[in-house]
Amino acid sequence: MKSLFLLIALYTITGKQAVPSGDIPEGATCTYVQTARNNGQMTAGNTIDLTIDGYDGVTLQSVTLTMKSNKASGAGELQMKVGNADVWNIADQAFNTSSWAGKYSTDWVEISHSLDGRVVPKGAAITLHIKASANSLYLQSVKLNYQPAQPQSYTVSFNTHISQDVPSVTESKPNAGIVLPAVALSDPKWMFYGWAENPYGMVSDVPLTYDAGDIYYPASDCVLHAVYAERIEDHPWWPTDDLSQGDYLIALYEPVTGTFIYACGGVDKGEIAAVNTHKEANEGWVAMSADVPYEAVYALSVSRDTLTIRHRATNTSVSLASGGSFGTAQSTANKWIISPCESELDAMPHYAISGTANGVTYYISFYGKSEGMSFRPTSDATMKHDLLLYAVNDLVVEEVHYTSFPFGGGVDNQYSDDMPAYKMHIGPHILTIKNGKKYLQINE
């Protein structure tokens, strides 16, 4: 159903600029140029040009100019266009003719013209050109009466860049979106990764794509391009049995429920936040995925059976405070004791981490309650948990290549095979550590 109400956009000439007010469409812009010296005045041979962009899809009903002339003189011509189409023309005539105001006037008068429901095409500009042939014409403002753009159902087409065709999909109603299909590619080297708004050559940075099954909301009729990812060897990330100085993930595993829990964050109110996920054990071992937040990385400095813990993201210590909770003070008295321990439930290497405060021994343990999960020190040895340590240096993630042209035919971007790298997510971004260097990929 079409909207019946009218909106009014006003452009007032002030200081050799057209200042917008009223109902201006979001993102609309205007450009104003005059050749005469005085604000809004056109002496013989001088012009005013107004260009308005960003009215895509609106229905123009009328335009009104507020103008005046000299007391007994003033003449000129006018052309107004929407895109390349003429919508108003006045041949060179005196201001007192019916095409203009019908009279000379030193007071501001309104000159209106119907635009008969002209729809502004996508990307088309509204332009107004006035040229004086006799002194003088003056322009104070330009007013547009219009109806807003009506919602439309858009069609999304798909370019797979391979022999397989995927039919286009049209929204069932405006703003409903469409469910993205998949491409069933059977190839030993490449697999379908997602859809992108532009095709990709051969790249190693993770492209911005939409997954099959996602709802995509088109802003116009458009084409999406398939992106394919290179199939690579899977390198499981197992808990370490060889402690050394470096970065680690601190975790525990409940084999009965398959619950995997890891510390994530700095010390907050004497404890550290915990995150849980479901992991299946493989022959008594649990492989962690590379998709973990940077907030879950802790630097451990090991010396014989003692260690210090530092949270990487906040660069703060994790120590044992005098009250038996976590603290951040750096003190040699607050070094932790780490010792390997055997597990009757699985074959993974476990460690007990403990510290002493005021003569009391505390163990790092997990607490799960309705108000949230966390890791905290406990003095009850029966409540302690044996922990798993995943060394970040043991994590191997091969560099994946992505392209819209798995079998050629696209942009041939050159790339070299690099050493394996490991990657971690930092919010929406990706931290890659390769050859001892850190690279942060910013995803908008």
Side-chain angles (χ1 to χ4, degrees), residues 169 184 201 231 253 274 289 321 386 390:
V169 180
R231 297 182 187 271
Y253 181 66
S289 66
D386 298 336
Y390 289 76

Side-chain angles (χ1 to χ4, degrees), residues 206-226:
V206 179
L208 176 61
T209 58
Y210 303 90
D211 295 336
D214 284 352
I215 298 179
Y216 178 76
Y217 297 91
S220 62
D221 292 341
C222 63
V223 177
L224 294 182
H225 301 264

Side-chain angles (χ1 to χ4, degrees), residues 284-311:
W285 288 66
V286 175
M288 186 56 185
S289 66
D291 189 15
V292 297
Y294 187 52
E295 287 75 10
V297 177
Y298 298 84
L300 304 187
S301 180
V302 184
S303 177
R304 296 186 180 180
D305 62 346
T306 66
L307 83 157
T308 58
I309 305 174
R310 177 172 292 274
H311 182 233

Side-chain angles (χ1 to χ4, degrees), residues 320 333-337 353-357 359-364 377-378:
L320 181 62
N334 284 333
K335 283 188 175 181
W336 298 96
I337 302 296
I353 301 178
S354 63
T356 302
V360 179
T361 298
Y362 294 86
Y363 296 88
I364 295 181
T378 178

Side-chain angles (χ1 to χ4, degrees), residues 281-436:
N282 182 4
E283 298 181 354
W285 288 66
V286 175
M288 186 56 185
S289 66
D291 189 15
V292 297
Y294 187 52
E295 287 75 10
V297 177
Y298 298 84
L300 304 187
S301 180
V302 184
S303 177
R304 296 186 180 180
D305 62 346
T306 66
L307 83 157
T308 58
I309 305 174
R310 177 172 292 274
H311 182 233
R312 275 294 192 189
T314 60
N315 194 31
T316 55
S317 295
V318 178
S319 60
L320 181 62
S322 58
S325 60
F326 283 130
T328 58
Q330 299 185 46
S331 171
T332 55
N334 284 333
K335 283 188 175 181
W336 298 96
I337 302 296
I338 185 167
S339 56
C341 40
E342 296 182 358
S343 171
E344 298 179 355
L345 299 176
D346 57 61
M348 293 183 289
H350 292 258
Y351 297 89
I353 301 178
S354 63
T356 302
N358 297 327
V360 179
T361 298
Y362 294 86
Y363 296 88
I364 295 181
S365 187
F366 167 75
Y367 283 76
K369 294 184 177 180
S370 58
E371 65 268 21
M373 302 180 300
S374 66
F375 283 87
R376 311 175 197 172
T378 178
S379 59
D380 186 350
T382 64
M383 296 294 293
K384 74 178 182 71
H385 287 92
D386 298 336
L387 303 175
L388 303 172
L389 300 175
Y390 289 76
V392 173
N393 285 336
D394 292 341
L395 171 60
V396 178
V397 179
E398 291 189 16
E399 186 173 54
V400 180
H401 299 112
Y402 305 86
T403 183
S404 294
F405 310 95
F407 309 125
V411 179
D412 186 17
N413 289 354
Q414 299 296 319
Y415 61 90
S416 60
D417 291 326
D418 241 327
M419 295 294 291
Y422 67 85
K423 300 183 180 183
M424 286 173 288
H425 288 260
I426 306 175
H429 314 310
I430 297 176
L431 176 71
T432 301
I433 303 178
K434 181 167 54 178
N435 297 331

